Amino acid sequence: MPSAASDTTAGKAAFNDDDRDDCLPRHPFDDDKLKEECGVFGAIGLTDASNFVALGLHALQHRGQEAGGIVCHHPEHGFNSARRFGYIRDNFTSQSVMETLPGPVAIGHVRYSTAGSKGAAQIRDVQPFFGEFSMGGAAIAHNGNITNAEALRRELIERGSIFQSSSDSECIIHLMARSLQRGIPERMEDALRRVEGAFSVVAMTGTQLIGVRDPLGVRPLVLGKVADGWVLSSETCALDIIGAELIREIEPGEMVVITEKGIESRRPFRPQSPRFCIFEHVYFSRPDSILGGRSVYETRRQIGVELAREAPVDADLVCPVPDSGTPAAIGFAHESGIPYGMGIIRNQYMGRTFIEPTEQIRNMGVRLKLNVNRALIQGKRVILVDDSVVRGTTSRKIKEMILDAGAAEVHFRIASPPTAWPCFYGVDTPQREKLLAATMSEDEMRDHLAVDSLKFISLDGLYRAVGEAEGRNNSCPQYCDACFSGEYPVAPSDMIEKGFELKAAE
Ligand code: SF4
């Protein structure tokens, strides 16, 4: 436990490390961004539900490009699964693969490893995970991060559990195995009550599709309807691709159990004030998704408006750092009246070509991915709008490119507050000391980046942009903003045990 559902694809065992298909672009540019977490998708009541899941995962690919997996169930053939490294489009589009994944219930996962093996990933860490219980099989896929996973793993191993992966999510299956409840949803409730941190889970049995959000609702999960079936997805953009209608968000602390009889809503946890991840609005979610009833694109545009009000500057041109800085740059230009232009062009076709770049190519760094529109930039005072500054290495290189192209001045405006604390809820952040804002003030960062000015949106400005007219409620914040404020809504107990120091009370 857990065992893999029989992995029929290409006749390979599900946990065969030889499966590795290292098609991931590893590039210096990617090292200076927070990495998206994972994406989950599930479907029930649809002919060959796996096809819908594959399309949904394709739309969620921005949440994890390292690997993907699908588990399905067919009344005659039982459970089947396929797990692969690389993109969904490269692994789950061929007829030969998809016809091995039949049945009306399926769930899937796209992965960027926020826990478990990183870099040299192993196929055994690729979700969904599967467990065989006395009442039948169940598979789960998890987006988020369990902050007490190491303590749970130690306890479970001491009590006889044999782990097969290094993923925190496997704890859920082992906790379910130890529960004395009679049904799978009830065992999941038992298991998830022991788990701390952030989790949006999709799970399935042969006849049920289950969705759960943690009590704070840190990670998103939505419910959609298509034809006679139901789907669960990390984001609404994945509903659009299959023509599904958005019904509603799964509420923080809610479990839904979907069968052919309909949807049952349960409340397995003690109610708490929600703390959705505010960075989903800034960067992680796709701009064509809807979060909390708000268009992500519109929120990002509004962040630019707030930024222009908070940190105006005399300049000739507003340029986004593509792609995630684009809506905020549009908002900044609109509010400031300064012309908007595509001063930086992104190469859309970075991909496998430079998987293992030579030293010479590696030194080209950001230029492989971004190029300056010299004709537009020359002689201008340029405002660059970016979503965040993590280590600052990319910001420095972009500034150099803009100056090399003949810009008269470079001003950075950042659509998030300074990222000064690591995330422990499913986002890969560098260690605290590697975050530029952890060790430098705004003015020191400006000098370090050697730009004419640098301003970040304030935390209150960000809250206003996401629809909180009065800004942040400091006594009871409406969102998780720990990577900016250092106020963690769930104590990261594993990390504290390893010596991580929380912010001192003010
Ligand atoms: S710490 Fe930051 S990235 Fe992590 S969940 Fe909270 S707001 Fe989101």
Side-chain angles (χ1 to χ4, degrees):
M1 187 84 66
S3 63
S6 72
D7 188 332
T8 56
T9 308
K12 290 177 179 174
F15 291 165
N16 179 358
D17 289 352
D18 295 340
D19 255 356
R20 178 151 196 189
D21 170 13
D22 193 356
C23 67
L24 296 168
R26 296 206 162 78
H27 187 268
F29 181 77
D30 296 327
D31 290 344
D32 199 23
K33 286 284 168 198
L34 299 188
K35 299 290 192 307
E36 300 89 343
E37 326 83 39
C38 300
V40 291
F41 197 92
I44 190 168
L46 298 163
T47 306
D48 292 333
S50 296
N51 287 322
F52 290 85
V53 171
L55 284 167
L57 293 178
H58 173 66
L60 297 174
Q61 193 79 79
H62 60 290
R63 298 184 74 88
Q65 298 91 47
E66 192 175 58
I70 295 177
V71 171
C72 63
H73 182 271
H74 185 279
E76 286 169 26
H77 306 299
F79 286 94
N80 283 294
S81 71
R83 297 171 179 80
R84 291 289 181 272
F85 286 108
Y87 296 123
I88 294 298
R89 66 162 190 243
D90 296 332
N91 288 305
F92 294 95
T93 46
S94 72
Q95 196 179 352
S96 62
V97 172
M98 296 313 294
E99 67 189 10
T100 66
L101 298 169
V105 196
I107 64 170
H109 187 263
V110 284
R111 173 181 200 264
Y112 174 78
S113 52
T114 53
S117 56
K118 287 186 185 174
Q122 313 230 3
I123 199 74
R124 66 181 186 218
D125 287 330
V126 178
Q127 299 185 42
F129 291 126
F130 179 81
E132 192 72 66
F133 304 95
S134 56
M135 67 287 292
I140 65 163
H142 164 222
N143 171 206
N145 193 43
I146 298 172
T147 52
N148 64 337
E150 291 184 24
L152 286 173
R153 177 182 282 254
R154 273 198 307 272
E155 175 195 319
L156 285 160
I157 288 172
E158 272 168 26
R159 293 165 66 194
S161 296
I162 299 170
F163 277 74
Q164 301 203 10
S165 78
S166 60
S167 166
D168 61 336
S169 314
E170 195 185 333
C171 287
I172 301 171
I173 288 279
H174 289 286
L175 288 167
M176 287 171 68
R178 298 206 160 261
S179 168
L180 299 176
Q181 298 288 344
R182 297 174 71 90
I184 296 289
E186 292 72 22
R187 286 189 174 218
M188 272 189 74
E189 289 182 14
D190 262 6
L192 292 174
R193 280 194 280 259
R194 296 279 329 272
V195 161
E196 296 168 8
F199 51 87
S200 280
V201 172
V202 295
M204 61 177 282
T205 67
T207 56
Q208 297 164 313
L209 177 66
I210 302 166
V212 194
R213 275 178 91 190
D214 64 74
L216 302 180
V218 175
R219 296 275 152 248
L221 190 64
V222 297
L223 173 70
K225 179 118 186 70
V226 57
D228 292 332
W230 296 94
V231 293
L232 292 166
S233 172
S234 291
E235 287 184 44
T236 64
C237 63
L239 305 185
D240 299 336
I241 195 173
I242 58 164
E245 176 195 357
L246 170 64
I247 300 300
R248 64 178 178 86
E249 294 188 352
I250 305 304
E251 291 177 19
E254 182 184 16
M255 169 187 273
V256 290
V257 181
I258 310 172
T259 63
E260 61 179 15
K261 293 187 191 139
I263 299 177
E264 181 195 353
S265 172
R266 303 180 178 195
R267 298 282 171 178
F269 312 107
R270 182 176 57 82
Q272 296 181 48
S273 298
R275 299 287 295 273
F276 183 63
C277 166
I278 204 164
F279 223 142
E280 290 275 356
H281 286 285
V282 176
Y283 177 62
F284 300 129
S285 291
R286 252 174 56 167
D288 50 340
S289 282
I290 307 287
L291 289 178
R294 294 174 65 82
S295 146
V296 173
Y297 175 88
E298 193 44 44
T299 296
R300 288 181 191 166
R301 190 181 171 284
Q302 193 57 35
I303 291 173
V305 169
E306 289 286 342
L307 200 46
R309 288 176 187 157
E310 288 187 352
V313 58
D314 262 349
D316 307 307
L317 189 67
V318 179
C319 292
V321 176
D323 292 323
S324 47
T326 302
I330 291 171
F332 193 106
H334 181 83
E335 181 66 14
S336 65
I338 299 169
Y340 169 90
M342 296 293 288
I344 301 172
I345 308 297
R346 190 166 80 93
N347 181 354
Q348 305 289 344
Y349 300 102
M350 272 294 297
R352 296 179 176 209
T353 324
F354 300 113
I355 296 163
E356 307 234 4
T358 62
E359 195 56 36
Q360 192 186 5
I361 289 174
R362 220 190 320 271
N363 288 338
M364 292 176 188
V366 174
R367 287 170 205 270
L368 283 176
K369 197 157 188 175
L370 302 176
N371 193 26
V372 174
N373 184 354
R374 188 176 288 265
L376 187 68
I377 295 287
Q378 223 155 23
K380 302 246 172 71
R381 295 169 299 167
V382 177
I383 301 170
L384 289 174
V385 181
D386 203 352
D387 53 73
S388 56
V389 172
V390 181
R391 291 181 168 93
T393 47
T394 302
S395 308
R396 255 185 104 105
K397 287 174 187 160
I398 290 172
K399 181 259 328 188
E400 282 161 15
M401 286 165 60
I402 294 280
L403 285 179
D404 286 351
E409 293 175 12
V410 179
H411 303 270
F412 262 111
R413 292 295 177 271
I414 310 299
S416 58
T419 307
W421 296 85
C423 174
F424 300 119
Y425 307 134
V427 173
D428 190 41
T429 26
Q431 288 173 323
R432 180 147 198 255
E433 52 275 17
K434 302 261 173 61
L435 296 168
L436 203 61
T439 53
M440 292 185 194
S441 68
E442 197 170 87
D443 286 349
E444 286 168 337
M445 285 190 269
R446 178 201 61 210
D447 295 344
H448 174 78
L449 297 175
V451 289
D452 293 283
S453 74
L454 166 72
K455 293 286 177 195
F456 294 79
I457 194 169
S458 68
L459 208 42
D460 273 329
L462 178 57
Y463 271 76
R464 283 193 296 274
V466 298
E468 300 289 341
E470 304 300 318
R472 185 179 194 259
N473 177 349
N474 290 331
S475 58
C476 183
Q478 305 92 315
Y479 284 86
C480 175
D481 54 26
C483 47
F484 310 126
S485 65
E487 295 174 26
Y488 290 90
V490 180
S493 52
D494 284 343
M495 295 308 296
I496 291 170
E497 203 181 303
K498 286 181 181 168
F500 177 76
E501 289 181 30
L502 292 172
K503 185 172 151 181
E506 285 167 2

